[in-house]
Amino acid sequence: MTGTGDHEDAATYGATAQAAIRRPGRWWGRKGTAAKVESYTRISFHLFPVAQLVTALLSLTPVPARSALPVAGALLVHVVLGLRLTGQALDWVAGRRARPRRLLCAYMACGFAGAAIAALVLVKLPDDPPATYYTACVGTYVLFLAFSCGLGVLALRTHRQSLVAVAVATFGGWLLGSALLPAPAAAALALSTVLSAGGLTLASRFSIWLLQAVYELDEARHTRARLAVAEERLRFGRDLHDVLGRNLSVIALKSELAVQLARRERPEAVEQMAEVQRIAQESQREVREVVRGYREADLYTELLGARGVLSAAGITCTVTGTPTGLPRPVQAALAWVVREAVTNVLRHGNAAHCRIALTVIPAGPRAEGRPAVAELTVENDGVPSASAGSSGSTGGHGLAGLRERLAAEQGTLEAGPAGKSAFRLVARVPVPADEVAESGVPGETAERARQELE
């Protein structure tokens, strides 16, 4: 991709997203897949302490206020610590900070302390308390231990440590229960603790595994893109080496020979320097050809590459039409459009589908003098709707560069929203009537691309 794409202003493809920033809920559509999974995971885990708070407070409503206040106080502290631990633990999983060991220890200690307070309240209840009292205190007791374990494992490294955490929570709950409650009640509490803590731990570990897998896949996608760029640079370097290596060696030898002949005042020195000049001019010509071939875009290859790149990014891409018979200048201009459009699809929005269509509009009657027109359409979804006044008439540096390239072939470029969450880019280039079809015959590489497209 050229510098025009690297300095893309996002004013066209990004204009719809920028216009939607002020709308509530549109922030989600601007996130990539990895960012969406991370945001969903964060929201889900931050709801855990909130669910604990709501459930425990509702359970404590039948309990007398004097007995419920200590439990509610410990519960609020535990919930606040849980919210802080969730954020810091997920940052640690993402590699953005160190592991919150002290906060983890404080959270676990607060959980056991809250469970002990709930057990003491249960013991201090009057003889033969209503069933609702007993259920409230037992439920709060289990919630302290279960959520301490379920959220605490976010800051643990291995599955074995998570199993140890479940075992410690269960054993600790049984110890507290056996010290304050009858043996059957303590055993029931331990069973409830192991089931609830185990379930929350399993859900937490699976979510962390999924989040890490998404991180790795996203990094692999970026690494593959960087490797593709590096491979292209190596190819270009090899081409330059092949072109310049031999010629520079010959220039060095002949110039050294010319120096020796000049020192002896031999007339052959002039001939050798003339040969050096010829080889240098030939090297300039060959380098220009290499650079021209490197920069020249081929429409067959670009269409095939667009489908492969978009599919690798998880975007369903359909390509219709082939450029057979189009003049080479027209193909080159449209190939740059495909390259720039695919770059914008990957950079802006969160597309799931992309359609690339190439059609040739036949020429009009000879009296009208209207030539045939090659029309390329690139349309993708996943772009938030723009305001009513926004349009694709103004674009970033990349689209401005495309307009300049198309203008050289008397072509036009239109870009703008197409529906609620779609973006469409349409390029039209006239096909001169006097251009022969042979000018559009592809080379060996493009021929293979054409066969794969068809």
Side-chain angles (χ1 to χ4, degrees):
M1 195 63 203
T2 62
T4 58
D6 294 335
H7 300 287
E8 177 70 36
D9 189 12
T12 301
Y13 272 85
T16 52
Q18 291 174 357
I21 289 178
R22 296 183 296 272
R23 301 186 179 186
R26 295 297 170 86
W27 63 275
W28 183 261
R30 297 192 304 274
K31 291 180 176 290
T33 302
K36 282 183 176 181
V37 174
E38 180 179 352
S39 298
Y40 174 79
T41 305
R42 286 182 177 273
I43 293 173
S44 300
F45 279 117
H46 278 88
L47 288 177
F48 276 22
V50 176
Q52 177 191 5
L53 177 65
V54 173
T55 303
L57 290 180
L58 290 177
S59 300
L60 290 174
T61 50
V63 180
R66 179 177 298 180
S67 300
L69 283 178
V71 180
L75 177 65
L76 290 175
V77 175
H78 195 244
V79 168
V80 172
L81 291 176
L83 291 173
R84 291 194 59 188
L85 177 64
T86 299
Q88 294 187 17
L90 291 177
D91 287 339
W92 168 68
V93 171
R96 304 189 185 108
R97 61 170 301 139
R99 186 158 63 126
R101 293 184 176 86
R102 294 183 179 179
L103 186 58
L104 174 62
C105 295
Y107 182 69
M108 298 294 289
C110 182
F112 279 102
I117 293 174
L120 287 173
V121 170
L122 182 60
V123 172
K124 297 296 183 180
L125 289 177
D127 296 337
D128 297 328
T132 53
Y133 286 18
Y134 186 85
T135 303
C137 293
V138 171
T140 306
Y141 179 95
V142 173
L143 286 175
F144 272 113
L145 296 178
F147 277 92
S148 296
C149 187
L151 290 181
V153 297
L154 295 178
L156 299 180
R157 296 184 183 276
T158 64
H159 299 301
R160 181 177 298 178
Q161 292 177 346
S162 302
L163 293 176
V164 171
V166 174
V168 169
T170 304
F171 183 70
W174 177 79
L175 284 180
L176 288 174
S178 61
L180 301 174
L181 300 173
L189 283 178
L191 180 60
S192 301
T193 302
V194 70
L195 293 178
S196 55
L200 287 175
T201 298
L202 181 62
S204 299
R205 294 304 304 183
F206 177 77
S207 298
I208 293 300
W209 172 81
L210 179 62
L211 184 60
Q212 291 174 336
V214 171
Y215 285 150
E216 292 177 359
L217 289 174
D218 190 61
E219 179 62 25
R221 184 171 63 88
H222 289 295
T223 301
R224 181 167 55 183
R226 290 193 296 267
L227 289 176
V229 173
E231 183 179 356
E232 184 66 12
R233 289 174 177 171
L234 288 174
R235 186 195 68 81
F236 186 59
R238 287 194 301 268
D239 291 346
L240 285 179
H241 178 271
D242 294 340
V243 169
L244 294 178
R246 179 185 62 84
N247 290 349
L248 289 177
S249 299
V250 174
I251 289 174
L253 291 175
K254 287 187 172 294
S255 60
E256 183 179 356
L257 177 59
V259 170
Q260 297 296 331
L261 293 173
R263 287 175 179 175
R264 300 175 185 177
E265 298 181 355
R266 298 283 296 275
E268 292 86 350
V270 177
E271 298 178 2
Q272 295 298 326
M273 290 307 300
E275 184 70 10
V276 168
Q277 183 182 20
R278 185 191 64 80
I279 296 175
Q281 292 174 348
E282 181 181 352
S283 299
Q284 288 180 332
R285 179 183 58 79
E286 291 179 350
V287 168
R288 282 194 294 267
E289 289 179 356
V290 169
V291 174
R292 187 182 302 113
Y294 178 74
R295 297 185 61 187
E296 185 178 277
D298 182 85
L299 187 52
Y300 286 101
T301 306
E302 292 299 330
L303 289 173
L304 181 62
R307 187 168 63 182
V309 170
L310 293 176
S311 298
I315 301 173
T316 302
C317 179
T318 57
V319 179
T320 58
T322 58
T324 303
L326 291 179
R328 189 171 297 278
V330 175
Q331 289 196 38
L334 295 180
W336 282 107
V337 175
V338 174
R339 185 179 296 186
E340 183 69 23
V342 170
T343 300
N344 287 330
V345 170
L346 294 173
R347 282 186 176 181
H348 309 301
N350 187 33
H353 302 276
C354 180
R355 179 179 66 89
I356 303 176
L358 176 64
T359 57
V360 178
I361 303 174
R366 181 166 302 192
E368 296 182 4
R370 179 172 59 83
V373 176
E375 182 179 274
L376 177 71
T377 303
V378 181
E379 183 174 343
N380 64 281
D381 60 2
V383 180
S385 300
S387 58
S390 58
S391 68
S393 59
T394 60
H397 296 90
L399 295 181
L402 288 182
R403 288 190 173 92
E404 294 176 0
R405 292 180 183 274
L406 293 175
E409 303 295 333
Q410 288 75 47
T412 60
L413 180 71
E414 298 177 2
K420 184 177 180 181
S421 61
F423 192 92
R424 181 185 299 131
L425 185 146
V426 181
R428 298 182 180 91
V429 181
V431 181
D434 57 348
E435 292 283 353
V436 295
E438 282 81 0
S439 61
V441 174
E444 181 181 353
T445 303
E447 179 63 22
R448 290 198 300 267
R450 182 189 64 80
Q451 293 174 359
E452 294 189 36
L453 278 175
E454 295 177 347

